[in-house]
Amino acid sequence: MRLFQTLPNASDSAARRMLPVSLEQLHLLLDHLKGIVGYFDTENRCIYANHAYANAYHTTVNLMVGKHIREIIGDAGWAFVEPYAERVLAGDAVRYVREIDQNLPSAHWIEVHLVPNALEDGRIIGNFVFIDDVTEQHRAQQAIGESEERTQRFIEAGTEGIVFYRNGTIFDCNDAFQNMLGKHREELIGMPASHLFQKQDRPFAEKHMHLGRETRYPAQLPHADGSLITVEIAGRSVQVNGQMASVAVVRDTTQIATMNEALLRSQNRYRSLVDNSDQSAFFTQDRKIIYANPAAQKLFGPHEDGLRGVESLYLIHPEDRAYALMRRKQLIAGDTNTEVQIRAISPPAEHINEDTRITWVRLFGSIIEWEGRPGVLIFLTNITALRESEDKMRKALAQEKELGDLKTRFVSMASHEFRTPLATIQTSSELLQHYNERLSPEERTDALSDIQRAVQRMQAMMDSFLAFGRMDAGSTVFAPRNIALLPCLQGLLHETRSAQYRRHAVTIYLEPPLHAQTHLMLDEILLGQMVMNLITNACKYSAQGTQVSVIAAQQDSQQGKQLLITVRDEGIGIPDNELPRLFESFYRASNANTIPGTGLGLAIVDRAARAHGGSVQVRSQIGQGSQFTLALPWIEPDTA
Ligand code: ADP
């Protein structure tokens, strides 16, 4: 028997090239094959089965041979196989896959090839059976089938158009794609994919398709009704039935485009609103001004390109920038309290100079999206006038408060300082009234002198109040006269001596170029008040017998030439931390408690110096002494 000579479909199989072999040799060969091999006659009786075949059916080769196939595979198996058996006996090579149940834990699948054995005249004398266990492949295929089914379901259910093409030609698409273009599947299949596009877009589309990468690009596709639909296309390569193909997912973005247009229209409307607003407004992105309305341009002064591109920080006073940046951060983080009061500068610049105009503004910021990116829209109001009136109000309030404080300080000072001289007057006058006859003439004189000194002290205090009151009310008039400096100072010194401070060595020095005849334009009354107060204090706050110096000198300063009058003592000094408050009315240093005083003297000096267009400075060291220096404008009589 020549087994292989008539094998149809055995294209380049080794069988063709095999030399005829003996049947025994063949049996030997077939028995060692793992695959199942058998031969059946036209009656479907087994003529030959290899070991694997017998094993598969839990029998032996000898038991199989001569049996009808039905006896081997059972009734159910035969019902399935019979049609194939008929076909193979009609001359067809047949292939089928079937499930076999051989009490195995899970289903097994076999692939059966039935190959007819025909003689040269075409007569069929039997058929070969080749069986493979294809359980694994079957399972894999089933899995693929299921996932394909799922994909198919997804493809059909989606609103996105899906189109498959291979070598540039469409071979499948879903319903959504047909609906999108208003075209039937029949029209689409077989059509070049690039023909989905308008002529002018085809080269571009072909390039994209050719790339085969997962690219996403916008496009416009013609609809069957002649309109154009705006889409976004994402293409990629896929395997379809084991072959490479391309799939494109097409999303209709016409609606999005319409929305964008509407947005743009609303942006334009918004812009025209902002343009015509009285409020200044500008819009910044990445801290640069993208747009400023006319009001903002007016506020910040003329600027090329309407402030466009200007660093937004440069609109803000350098001292307020850190604060503005912090508020900006808070705004981005979602803070809803977006009001900020800062100083704006014009023209915008990194640094300010004397020409910079400073405006107080109130800002409101909000984050908006502009042309697809977030930015900060800022509205600002000029509040300079408001701030100024607020400032005035604050000052008026402070003044009122100061006045209140002043009254309190005056009452406490007066009740303290008047008590001593009043008590002196009372006791001395009672003494004189009740014991006049019994007093010696010296005792009487002493009592009267005490009364006079107390009255003088009260008089001095009243003078201070009046002087201070006049100055505080601003009614002091600066009336300079031609004055010979040295005689004037000597006269003042004499007055203080005659008042009470006779126990100090007070010396007047003139530093060149000053000399005995130096004449200057000075207000004699103000000068008197200043120098008297300073000499009195120097004597009052230093031990008897110590040195007090009055030094007159000339100095060149930024304000021009100045007359300096320094009063220096070797007294108790003033605590460092109290120096700044020394010129406040009623202020007395903590180490002056035991020495009578009103706390008005230096306040008067300070105001008089300022009325003179000058100032007063103090330097002091506790326990070492103090030095007060008046700096007054040097005005010579002939140049006045
Ligand atoms: P008073 O009437 O208290 O002297 P002033 O206004 O003249 O008021 O001085 C204010 C305070 O300054 C004084 O109470 C004192 O504490 C301090 N003071 C002024 N001059 C001197 C000085 N030469 N030496 C030390 N302390 C002084």
Side-chain angles (χ1 to χ4, degrees), residues 540-552:
K540 205 163 73 170
Y541 297 107
S542 60
Q544 288 184 9
T546 56
Q547 183 71 40
V548 171
S549 319
V550 179
I551 308 139

Side-chain angles (χ1 to χ4, degrees), residues 533 537-538 540-541 569 572-574 582 587-589 591-592 596-603 626 628:
N533 267 304
N537 279 350
K540 205 163 73 170
Y541 297 107
D569 64 58
I572 60 172
I574 301 150
L582 215 59
Y587 187 82
R588 308 203 63 219
N591 60 343
T598 58
L600 278 177
L602 288 182
S626 309
F628 289 84

Side-chain angles (χ1 to χ4, degrees), residues 148-165:
E148 261 176 16
E149 211 176 291
R150 263 205 303 276
T151 314
Q152 196 62 32
R153 274 205 301 274
F154 160 76
I155 287 172
E156 289 309 330
T159 54
E160 288 173 333
I162 294 169
V163 55
F164 293 90
Y165 54 95

Side-chain angles (χ1 to χ4, degrees), residues 220-497:
Q220 285 200 312
L221 304 181
H223 187 273
D225 66 11
S227 66
L228 278 177
I229 55 161
T230 309
V231 294
E232 190 185 69
I233 304 176
R236 61 170 301 185
S237 302
V238 285
Q239 261 205 334
V240 180
N241 296 334
Q243 274 189 296
M244 287 312 287
S246 299
V247 62
V249 178
V250 184
R251 196 155 64 98
D252 187 343
T253 55
T254 313
Q255 251 190 341
I256 299 174
T258 321
M259 266 157 58
N260 268 340
E261 254 171 56
L263 196 72
L264 202 68
R265 271 203 303 278
S266 84
Q267 275 181 0
N268 286 341
R269 264 207 297 275
Y270 198 38
R271 188 177 172 137
S272 75
L273 195 77
V274 170
D275 263 349
N276 296 311
S277 167
D278 287 344
Q279 257 198 336
S280 307
F282 57 88
F283 179 71
T284 68
Q285 251 171 353
D286 306 325
R287 292 210 209 150
K288 291 244 179 345
I289 294 180
I290 299 296
Y291 160 73
N293 76 348
Q297 292 175 35
K298 210 166 117 197
L299 180 72
F300 291 101
H303 199 279
E304 55 193 87
D305 209 10
L307 292 171
R308 218 184 142 82
V310 169
E311 186 78 38
S312 61
L313 269 191
Y314 290 176
L315 303 182
I316 300 167
H317 194 288
E319 287 169 16
D320 294 350
R321 284 177 194 165
Y323 172 65
L325 279 177
M326 185 195 79
R327 297 291 286 127
R328 183 177 176 275
K329 251 193 201 157
Q330 289 171 336
L331 176 67
I332 291 170
D335 189 351
T336 47
N337 173 26
T338 60
E339 190 195 311
V340 185
Q341 290 195 9
I342 47 167
R343 287 166 290 174
I345 57 165
S346 133
E350 190 176 356
H351 304 289
I352 55 168
N353 56 37
E354 62 268 23
D355 295 330
T356 306
R357 200 159 50 85
I358 296 170
T359 321
W360 271 100
V361 293
R362 182 191 290 140
L363 308 183
F364 291 95
S366 51
I367 305 279
I368 64 161
E369 204 173 274
W370 189 272
E371 282 158 11
R373 285 198 309 126
V376 187
L377 176 66
I378 291 164
F379 279 98
L380 49 95
T381 323
N382 186 343
I383 53 160
T384 308
L386 198 76
R387 288 286 293 213
E388 273 169 6
S389 66
E390 266 176 15
D391 262 5
K392 269 189 202 147
M393 215 133 88
R394 238 195 311 271
K395 272 188 197 138
L397 270 172
Q399 246 170 10
E400 203 168 302
K401 187 175 172 296
E402 204 183 322
L403 213 65
D405 288 353
L406 209 68
K407 273 186 199 149
T408 317
R409 277 171 7 212
F410 171 73
V411 171
S412 74
M413 184 280 302
S415 59
H416 182 256
E417 291 302 317
F418 276 72
R419 189 170 292 147
T420 324
L422 279 174
T424 310
I425 293 166
Q426 177 120 23
T427 38
S428 300
S429 57
E430 274 176 4
L431 197 71
L432 288 170
Q433 190 183 7
H434 300 296
Y435 306 100
N436 194 21
E437 295 82 35
R438 280 185 250 168
L439 293 176
S440 68
E442 291 81 36
E443 282 172 331
R444 257 183 247 139
T445 314
D446 274 355
L448 281 171
S449 309
D450 282 348
I451 292 174
Q452 273 169 356
R453 264 204 300 278
V455 170
Q456 265 175 10
R457 194 165 145 195
M458 288 173 70
Q459 182 89 48
M461 275 196 272
M462 292 310 293
D463 283 349
S464 302
F465 294 152
L466 286 174
F468 178 73
R470 271 200 304 275
M471 284 177 176
D472 221 35
S475 54
T476 317
V477 192
F478 173 54
R481 283 200 309 119
N482 185 348
I483 284 170
L485 187 63
L486 186 59
C488 176
L489 290 177
Q490 282 167 333
L492 292 169
L493 184 58
H494 184 72
E495 261 185 69
T496 57
R497 280 216 175 106

